[in-house]
Amino acid sequence: MKKFLSVLLIAAMLTSMVSALADDRGAKYTMEVENMTTLQNTPDREVPYNEADLAVNPVIPGESTTTGQPLKDGLLYLPMLVQISNPSYATKYEDPDTGKTKKTVTAGVGERAPWGGQYADIVYEGILYRTGQTRITFVISDSFADDEPQTLGPVRSARIGHVLLREEWMGGLVFHGGPEVDDNNIHAEFKRLGATEKGVVFDLAGTNKYNDFWYRISGISSADNVNIDVIGLRNTIPETTVAEPHPFLFSDTCAYLDGGYETAYGIHMDWGHEEWISHLYYDENDNLYLRYSGPVPYMTYMDADRNEDDMEQMSFSNVIIQRVTYEYAHGNKIMPVMQAVGKGNADIFIGGRYIPGYWVRESETSPTVFFDDKGNELVLTRGRTYIAHFPVEGLIGYTQEGLN
């Protein structure tokens, strides 16, 4: 595996504790920010976007609307969103400086690594707890053309923000439970929005309805061991349910190499909990951002067999940090309500460049449209995209250091 140009920076991020920056969320931002360009509590950029760009882009025949890559003819557009666990886990790694083995506790690694992530077109991450823990959502679409993935997991619970995310994509949402209390009832929201009657709500908890499509994997601690047959679940959606694609704009090469955009080969994200600090490093040879959880590569198994020989590091062609506001129902730290309708800042990284952008979503059923700093609709590089629903007060830094 390729080495970092600057591993000292990573070590400092994990071991150095700056004076804790705490806010009323209960989060504590502890990432070392020296030698970084930091982005935190940035005022609304109020980018003057063109209203006409909020219209849905036309579908280009033979091109994926989610990745921009070639797509087989005849594939029914019906994406599936799957809630994926992202808990912390104690694991070992080799310090590149000393060659010694060290221990660390970070999220989504080791025994807690997901499986089937390489089939996701888009990966979302958002707040799960007020104190900075996160949850992942895989958006699966293109791979259905090849009848993949056969297995996917580990599946966990959903929150209100995920209900609204499903509305954006109009496909199925697979999860295992979620809050059902006054003013924070996910099933009441599904009914209000009409998703339940469309047959796209797949709550695996508390029902035998979907028992043929999921099981728990032995050898992994519950509740992070739920494996699903996502294709089987998708096939149960009524033919009358239709999802309308909303294509992104794509380019074969980065559209932001010119224009004075700053180089950003390292992206460093502090969600508010030290075990969920993550990094994405740009590999210019492959034009991809490789994800790390602390100093440990963030990997995904190929399938539920969880064979280490088939693991792959999660990588992305585009990284979008969508700044959103979180509220907490009943003051409960595990009931975040993400405000994903409206507009706000977006910190965007494509082709090793930083674009200070913007996002707009007009309604619950509208797609989110991203803009660059000039008010033009964002042009993505073909491939997988990572989108963080990141708190407006959250701490991000970027550096010129990446991978050699």
Side-chain angles (χ1 to χ4, degrees):
M1 180 172 291
K2 299 176 180 178
K3 300 295 185 181
F4 295 112
L5 289 178
S6 176
V7 296
L8 293 176
L9 177 62
I10 298 173
M13 289 173 189
L14 294 168
T15 60
S16 299
M17 297 296 168
V18 298
S19 56
L21 302 173
D23 59 19
D24 59 5
R25 292 174 55 253
K28 295 182 179 179
Y29 300 107
T30 57
M31 184 171 66
E32 174 60 58
V33 298
E34 187 177 358
N35 299 323
M36 283 189 196
T37 298
T38 58
L39 303 165
Q40 186 178 35
N41 292 317
T42 304
D44 192 306
R45 297 186 180 114
E46 299 182 349
V47 172
Y49 59 89
N50 189 335
E51 294 281 349
D53 287 336
L54 297 178
V56 175
N57 296 316
V59 174
I60 299 175
E63 179 177 293
S64 166
T65 60
T66 53
T67 66
Q69 295 176 329
L71 191 61
K72 292 181 180 179
D73 292 335
L75 174 66
L76 173 67
Y77 178 78
L78 188 60
M80 295 290 284
L81 285 69
V82 184
Q83 294 302 106
I84 299 295
S85 183
N86 192 41
S88 62
Y89 185 75
T91 187
K92 298 178 181 180
Y93 70 100
E94 182 179 309
D95 186 330
D97 279 344
T98 64
K100 295 182 178 180
T101 299
K102 292 187 176 182
K103 295 182 179 179
T104 187
V105 179
T106 56
V109 298
E111 288 294 318
R112 295 295 183 264
W115 54 93
Q118 55 270 75
Y119 298 109
D121 296 357
I122 299 170
V123 175
Y124 285 92
E125 186 170 6
I127 290 289
L128 179 67
Y129 291 168
R130 186 198 307 263
T131 43
Q133 295 89 331
T134 70
R135 178 135 296 165
I136 303 291
T137 304
F138 289 162
V139 179
I140 312 292
S141 184
D142 286 7
S143 59
F144 290 134
D146 296 318
D147 293 325
E148 295 286 358
Q150 296 294 323
T151 60
L152 193 69
V155 178
R156 289 298 302 269
S157 58
R159 298 294 184 270
I160 291 293
H162 304 126
V163 177
L164 295 180
L165 186 61
R166 192 226 73 86
E167 286 301 307
E168 180 170 358
W169 289 97
M170 303 173 68
L173 176 63
V174 187
F175 59 102
H176 197 280
E180 296 186 62
V181 299
D182 291 343
D183 301 322
N184 197 242
N185 187 321
I186 59 174
H187 284 287
E189 281 295 286
F190 282 127
K191 290 180 180 179
R192 178 182 71 83
L193 294 165
T196 304
E197 64 187 46
K198 295 176 182 176
V200 294
V201 179
F202 299 101
D203 186 354
L204 307 181
T207 179
N208 295 324
K209 185 176 181 180
Y210 306 114
N211 281 1
D212 290 340
F213 303 104
W214 74 278
Y215 62 92
R216 293 189 182 275
I217 295 177
S218 62
I220 308 176
S221 299
S222 181
D224 298 315
N225 61 353
V226 173
N227 175 62
I228 64 165
D229 172 7
V230 68
I231 296 176
L233 289 168
R234 182 174 181 262
N235 288 340
T236 69
I237 297 177
E239 293 183 0
T240 53
T241 297
V242 177
E244 297 291 342
H246 48 86
F248 292 116
L249 298 181
F250 293 98
S251 174
D252 292 329
T253 58
C254 176
Y256 302 97
L257 295 180
D258 299 323
Y261 294 100
E262 293 187 22
T263 300
Y265 276 22
I267 309 166
H268 315 288
M269 306 171 60
D270 186 343
W271 291 86
H273 191 295
E274 62 181 352
E275 294 175 8
W276 273 260
I277 292 175
S278 58
H279 315 277
L280 294 114
Y281 284 90
Y282 181 64
D283 181 348
E284 60 184 337
N285 294 321
D286 293 329
N287 194 24
L288 291 172
Y289 292 90
L290 302 180
R291 177 166 178 166
Y292 290 77
S293 184
V296 181
Y298 190 98
M299 308 293 286
T300 176
Y301 292 99
M302 180 68 70
D303 51 41
D305 290 339
R306 302 173 71 250
N307 187 332
E308 292 187 1
D309 293 335
D310 294 330
M311 293 186 81
E312 177 181 305
Q313 187 169 8
M314 290 295 289
S315 60
F316 305 93
S317 299
N318 312 282
V319 176
I320 301 175
I321 314 300
Q322 181 182 351
R323 296 285 187 160
V324 299
T325 299
Y326 285 89
E327 298 174 356
Y328 293 84
H330 307 285
N332 191 323
K333 71 176 183 178
I334 66 170
M335 292 188 183
V337 180
M338 181 184 68
Q339 306 301 309
V341 176
K343 55 187 177 181
N345 292 342
D347 299 311
I348 301 164
F349 301 87
I350 302 174
R353 299 294 187 271
Y354 167 61
I355 302 103
Y358 210 62
W359 67 270
V360 178
R361 185 179 178 187
E362 292 187 297
S363 69
E364 292 173 330
T365 56
S366 299
T368 300
V369 181
F370 296 99
F371 295 91
D372 61 28
D373 56 319
K374 296 178 177 61
N376 300 314
E377 184 173 353
L378 188 69
V379 179
L380 302 178
T381 300
R382 302 185 195 280
R384 184 184 297 123
T385 296
Y386 168 83
I387 301 176
H389 285 143
F390 205 73
V392 293
E393 70 277 12
L395 174 60
I396 291 176
Y398 65 90
T399 59
Q400 294 185 348
E401 289 81 7
L403 298 172
N404 59 11

